[in-house]
Amino acid sequence: MPRLAVYALVVCLLAVAAAVVSFVEGSVLIGVVWILLAGLSSNMTWYYVRRDRASRPESPVAN
């Protein structure tokens, strides 16, 4: 997994944890902002993983 994908995944997990804490403490607006940040970083994770897979040369299939 590329390094940027790992960083984006860590940001995603931290944003989800922050959203849970915000909702538990009663701050709905801040929780929604954290959820949006988690969604953005999740999309970035998938983008970097797919870009890395597409840039690798295809290996021959062994029969």
Side-chain angles (χ1 to χ4, degrees):
M1 186 180 285
R3 184 178 297 161
L4 286 175
V6 173
Y7 291 158
L9 181 62
V10 168
V11 169
C12 180
L13 295 175
L14 289 174
V16 169
V20 169
V21 170
S22 295
F23 284 127
V24 167
E25 291 185 356
S27 180
V28 176
L29 183 61
I30 300 298
V32 169
V33 171
W34 282 117
I35 291 295
L36 292 174
L37 182 63
L40 175 68
S41 60
S42 171
N43 287 341
M44 288 174 62
T45 301
W46 283 115
Y47 170 76
Y48 287 126
V49 168
R50 288 176 58 189
R51 188 178 75 167
D52 182 58
R53 287 183 186 165
S55 68
R56 291 184 187 168
E58 292 185 21
S59 60
V61 177
N63 289 330

